[in-house]
Amino acid sequence: MSSASSIRAPARLIATGLRSSTSRATIPPLPRLYPHQSRTILSFLRSETSKSKSVQLPSHFFSRALSGKPLPQVKSKALNYTYRLAAWVGASLTVVGVGVIGFFLYDASTYKDHSTHSDIDVSQLALQPRRGGPKNLPIADVFIDDDDSEAKRKLKQKPRLVILGGGWGGVALLKDLNPDEYHVTVISPTNYFLFTPMLPSATVGTLSLRSLVEPIRRILSRVNGHFIRAKAEDIEFSHKLIEVAQTDPEGREVRFYVPYDKVVLAVGSTTNPHGVKGLEHAFFLKNIDDARTIRNRVIHNLELACLPTTSDEERKRLLSFVVSGGGPTGVEFAAELYDLLNEDLSRHFPRLLRNEISVHIIQSRGHILNTYDETLSKYAEDRFARDQVDVMTNARVKEVQPEKIIFTQKEPDGSLQTKELPIGFCLWSTGVAPAAISKTLAEKLGEYQTNRHALETDTHLRVNGTPLGDVYAIGDCSTVQNNVADHIITFLRSTAWKRGHDPETVQLHFGDWRQVAQDVKKRFPQAADHLKRLDKLFSEFDKDHSGTLDFGELRELLKQIDNKLTSLPATAQRAHQQGQYLAKKFNKMAQVAEGLHANDIRDGDLDAATYKAFEYHHLGSLAYIGNSAVFDLGEGWNLAGGLWAVYTWRSVYFAQSVSLRTRLLMAMDWVKRGLFGRDLISF
Amino acid sequence: MSSASSIRAPARLIATGLRSSTSRATIPPLPRLYPHQSRTILSFLRSETSKSKSVQLPSHFFSRALSGKPLPQVKSKALNYTYRLAAWVGASLTVVGVGVIGFFLYDASTYKDHSTHSDIDVSQLALQPRRGGPKNLPIADVFIDDDDSEAKRKLKQKPRLVILGGGWGGVALLKDLNPDEYHVTVISPTNYFLFTPMLPSATVGTLSLRSLVEPIRRILSRVNGHFIRAKAEDIEFSHKLIEVAQTDPEGREVRFYVPYDKVVLAVGSTTNPHGVKGLEHAFFLKNIDDARTIRNRVIHNLELACLPTTSDEERKRLLSFVVSGGGPTGVEFAAELYDLLNEDLSRHFPRLLRNEISVHIIQSRGHILNTYDETLSKYAEDRFARDQVDVMTNARVKEVQPEKIIFTQKEPDGSLQTKELPIGFCLWSTGVAPAAISKTLAEKLGEYQTNRHALETDTHLRVNGTPLGDVYAIGDCSTVQNNVADHIITFLRSTAWKRGHDPETVQLHFGDWRQVAQDVKKRFPQAADHLKRLDKLFSEFDKDHSGTLDFGELRELLKQIDNKLTSLPATAQRAHQQGQYLAKKFNKMAQVAEGLHANDIRDGDLDAATYKAFEYHHLGSLAYIGNSAVFDLGEGWNLAGGLWAVYTWRSVYFAQSVSLRTRLLMAMDWVKRGLFGRDLISF
């Protein structure tokens, strides 16, 4: 009996192996076994088989596919592994496949078949705007899409917040603004936000231009805002009107006013010519068109260099790429260009070209990336030196000619040498200059605006000289004025007079000084770092050791702090923080507006009353320098390295990128580059 | 004892459930059980535990992860399913994850760190080409990259095959050409191949421009060929020199000769102005730049329509899009435009715009898509009618003005009506005209070239009037001449004279006629279809029922066949087939070259001797008409439908696409469109 069974058994075993998912066979699932241990297997099997009959239903068959029925045990290990591996791959393919099908179903749902025609009510005032203002132009009180949706209709009565420019500052503001407190309008000559830090990558096709831009309208939809693609040219502060201009394809210009309750200037800056001659022969890198023009020119030069008639000398000129300006933009462009030439050029172009290409950086300061920690500048310079990118420091460009660039360089011995380089291409990326409207407004505001480079604001980012709480400025077009000394002194003087003292005789004790310091910290957060050791400062400036500070000594103390305060960098980071700051403040002001209105409070420093002053927190700067990257995290924290740094650099920007869309596109581009390299196509 | 074990057992069970993959516990794998059925569980367990000890090795632990160890059996079905489901997802995530990591590793390997400088030998002749030819220009006998690689060096002695143009014809030739038989050079003003059928999609951002282009150099690398980015302007047939011109960024023009043994004209065509006035106000859709210009203009108009100062009438004009030409290009552009306006516009632009937009097609024939089967034209027209795309047939454009288009339309009663439409944008896509070089050559060849529209070739695609086997023409710039009658008659006449007969008296019996027919079929494959029922034809044209055909009757017969032969369509498909044909023929000729050379055979009709004449096989035509597509598969086989047709239409082009790269990019674009819609950005 026992022998017989021991023969029969294997046969069953194989059977289950083959038909495990279809036949419920005569084999019981493992665990059920144990409760019956005391019985012999045989009796157990009997009971089992009798059970099994009752449950053989189609539904059951089906369910078996996924059920936890143990997989058949095959003897050979190798077989097991392959079996399981196959199962894994199979499973993943299935899941992925399901995903794909899912996507296609979704995709199919995105094709609107019938046009959505419908009568819509547009206010007459939107179709025929009234004329008015100093220049008697049409005034856009109402927009044609003010009634497009319930949400928009609600906002018609809200204060009108107009943002000039769709760059980092403006977009940061839009992203954090409370959706239902303001009637938002963005006025910008371009209808997209540009992810500027990656612009150098786009010049050589590492990234496609499309991956760096996000339509402003898409960003605006969150706050149900409006967009006007035009150029703001002037602001009538007294009438609260923005003068806007646009030209149509036939070259006719239209002008009109856009009214505002609050206007935010975020118009950015233009490139600084530094009064150099012949810049019409140089290229700039500010917007998408620039990026394309540059790419086309680079590739055009490469193609020309291949022509049989091109002389050796001419070829060397065509392939001499000069970057004027050793800041992040210039350095990153040089790096990207080097990558292109090093990684992709040699693949499809004559090898001769690779040998005759030269990349030069002309930097006016002693180091490239001079705003970064010195160790990083050194790292970058060494890197470039190794990559045969020729860095020339202490050099100032005199003139750019069609085929050569002339510059003076300070020699180690201090003597000035005038030199020149043949150029096939020259990028001009040195510093920023104010945009047209910034200049116009600065003139208008006269003595309130003393800075040639940007619009001066107080620490609440309100443009100096404009009606309090109407006009704000953020980003490159603005600079925060830190005149601690003047501000405090005048303040104390007036209080002194009020109290009937003669300011000259007033003496501040340490207690008073601490109060003053508190006040300074509140009004000038940037100054806080320099007001840490109050007692030290006090004793240091109490020259006569009288135990008190007179106005003279106080002024000295504050002046010294002023000098320590540097103006904020013209970076995306700063613009971003200022935008966020305004968004938070405006949200707060909208909340308290009710109460203020009730108590009929209209004037006075509402900003200061409702929200703290702007404080800039430097999160560090980073730069790509050709298959390696450097990070300056401030306070002497630095990072520099090869590929790992590059991937980090990418992920930082990937995270900062404005939308899921741009992130996805960026990723796709990087994959593309990895698989196919950059395509050297010009169009 | 037995009771004791019955308590211990469940604990073990749970233990395995939890630690199944780490501890081998004391529970035997299921099947091993059965061989021992006759024994009691207890003895069995004992033996098992003793076994298990021997195999508890680290390596073993590890291997368990993948091994076929049965998964723990949990009681509840639901739990089982979730458990397995989780396992599946987990597995797929792992596999996908591994893939991602794999890619990153690969990607990291694609960054070349050190520049690959090396001395390379470039022949002096390449650097200073000799001058010569009728115009005494530099002659590019040797290229600077002739010695770049071993493969290239080998080709220096091979016959020089020069291809003018990098379109469908040229690329098809490159893809099928045997890599080591010819010294290949492509001369084209653009350094990329453009996937023209998808161009309309690119005008509205459904596809990105980059996805439609493939660098010619990449395609050339297969045949180790050379590329010259310049314009071929003339050919000196007697000197076997191509005159090439190019201008550099400073506007200086360089001219030189490129020598050839065989030259293939694949320069395509330009748009046909049909002598209409004011076409400078219209847009064309031939290349990438056109596509971008159109997209920017469309979006610019939309933005202008949003301006507060834009009057209602002006808005209607700005949003009136007129397409002149009801061929595939025109129709597909109208369709894509409609999609854009219908699917994406309403999402971010004022709703008012959607209601005031109008799309018009002006077609000179009675139907749009008139080259397609009539049922399909009807289908398209109905579709457009439903989508409020206004189709005007039997209408001819008289003049295009900046803001309106003037055309005449034939009314049902046959009377001509002059009408006009306001236009914000007008696309001109009506027929093709020869490119500059085609005209030049046609003039040069005088009476050999009688066709105003394209270069006439024989059925071996050799340009009529040029030295036999030197100059070929394919694609839009060429047309195959089918002058069966003249050809055969002259042939027979001469043979008749040779035989000493007077042609007029010669009589052909059915047998002779069959021979003639054979000859015709061989020389004019296109005619084969019309030579099926030889006997029928014979009796039909044997007017005098003499049982023989005299020359007069034969000429009539052949003339009738001539009339039946239509000229080939100016499509990508035709160009592609002709390119492939030449590639195959050139490969063949290279093979037999040896033998011919040995036997000193240099002249005579080598093409005809080595390869069959070109025969066009129409594979059908397809068109996208707005969330639906039509397929004309010839011989009355038609397809038309909605989304499924669109997906089919896409997959056809996906398959036809030139490279894995473009395929991947196309797919990405379609996914992008599904997820984020088309981005209405202009730059």
Side-chain angles (χ1 to χ4, degrees), chain B residues 84-109:
Chain B
R84 273 298 168 93
L85 216 52
W88 276 47
V89 174
S92 45
L93 285 184
T94 322
V95 172
V96 171
V98 169
V100 171
I101 293 166
F103 172 77
F104 266 98
L105 291 180
Y106 168 74
D107 184 64
S109 73

Side-chain angles (χ1 to χ4, degrees), chain A residues 31-289:
Chain A
R32 299 234 188 90
L33 217 61
Y34 295 95
H36 321 284
Q37 278 166 338
S38 52
R39 284 194 274 132
T40 65
I41 286 274
L42 283 180
S43 58
F44 166 73
L45 278 180
R46 242 180 261 108
S47 64
E48 266 301 325
T49 33
S50 56
K51 261 204 224 120
S52 67
K53 284 195 187 55
S54 62
V55 283
Q56 280 189 345
L57 304 160
S59 75
H60 193 78
F61 290 160
F62 167 75
S63 64
R64 295 300 295 276
L66 267 174
S67 85
K69 183 76 164 59
L71 291 149
Q73 183 74 337
V74 192
K75 278 271 177 299
S76 131
K77 273 229 169 41
L79 255 173
N80 279 336
Y81 295 145
T82 40
Y83 182 87
R84 272 299 167 92
L85 218 51
W88 276 47
V89 175
S92 44
L93 286 184
T94 322
V95 172
V96 171
V98 169
V100 170
I101 293 166
F103 172 76
F104 266 98
L105 291 179
Y106 167 74
D107 184 64
S109 75
T110 63
Y111 299 89
K112 269 205 253 145
D113 220 13
H114 278 289
S115 60
T116 53
H117 260 257
S118 56
D119 286 352
I120 53 175
D121 46 359
V122 176
S123 109
Q124 199 52 34
L125 202 52
L127 299 176
Q128 278 109 28
R130 68 181 174 92
R131 300 180 81 87
K135 295 188 180 174
N136 191 38
L137 299 170
I139 303 179
D141 300 296
V142 190
F143 295 139
I144 52 173
D145 53 350
D146 265 341
D147 297 298
D148 267 8
S149 66
E150 199 38 54
K152 282 196 168 123
R153 211 170 289 117
K154 277 212 199 73
L155 294 173
K156 277 163 83 175
Q157 306 316 326
K158 296 285 184 179
R160 299 179 137 260
L161 170 61
V162 181
I163 303 166
L164 307 185
W168 280 95
V171 166
L173 200 169
L174 287 173
K175 288 197 143 231
D176 286 6
L177 193 70
N178 186 333
D180 28 68
E181 293 298 356
Y182 293 92
H183 178 281
V184 183
T185 308
V186 172
I187 301 176
S188 167
T190 56
N191 61 359
Y192 55 85
F193 162 76
L194 173 59
F195 193 75
T196 43
M198 284 301 207
L199 208 42
S201 303
T203 55
V204 297
T206 311
L207 292 178
S208 76
L209 302 174
R210 205 146 276 274
S211 318
L212 300 183
V213 294
E214 178 75 3
I216 293 280
R217 291 176 184 279
R218 195 172 276 148
I219 301 169
L220 262 170
S221 56
R222 204 189 120 266
V223 295
N224 301 298
H226 308 266
F227 179 75
I228 298 176
R229 189 183 175 195
K231 215 164 192 295
E233 299 203 334
D234 197 358
I235 301 180
E236 302 292 349
F237 300 116
S238 45
H239 300 72
K240 291 194 165 197
L241 293 174
I242 302 159
E243 186 180 339
V244 180
Q246 172 65 292
T247 54
D248 70 6
E250 281 73 44
R252 283 173 307 224
E253 190 192 57
V254 292
R255 283 190 170 277
F256 55 93
Y257 285 126
V258 177
Y260 66 85
D261 296 307
K262 285 187 184 299
V263 61
V264 178
L265 284 149
V267 295
S269 59
T270 62
T271 319
N272 191 339
H274 289 296
V276 170
K277 263 190 295 173
L279 279 194
E280 62 272 19
H281 307 304
F283 290 72
F284 305 97
L285 186 48
K286 272 271 172 199
N287 59 41
I288 279 286
D289 293 314

Side-chain angles (χ1 to χ4, degrees), chain B residues 278-326:
Chain B
L279 278 193
E280 62 274 16
H281 306 304
F283 290 73
F284 305 97
L285 187 47
K286 272 270 171 201
N287 59 42
I288 280 287
D289 293 314
D290 295 341
R292 183 190 301 108
T293 330
I294 290 176
R295 193 184 60 213
N296 289 352
R297 175 58 174 270
V298 168
I299 289 160
H300 191 49
N301 282 12
L302 296 176
E303 292 288 2
L304 285 171
C306 299
L307 291 184
T309 44
T310 308
S311 72
D312 235 26
E313 183 199 5
E314 173 71 352
R315 191 178 297 111
K316 286 206 174 67
R317 178 187 76 76
L318 285 166
L319 299 179
S320 151
F321 301 94
V322 176
V323 176
S324 172

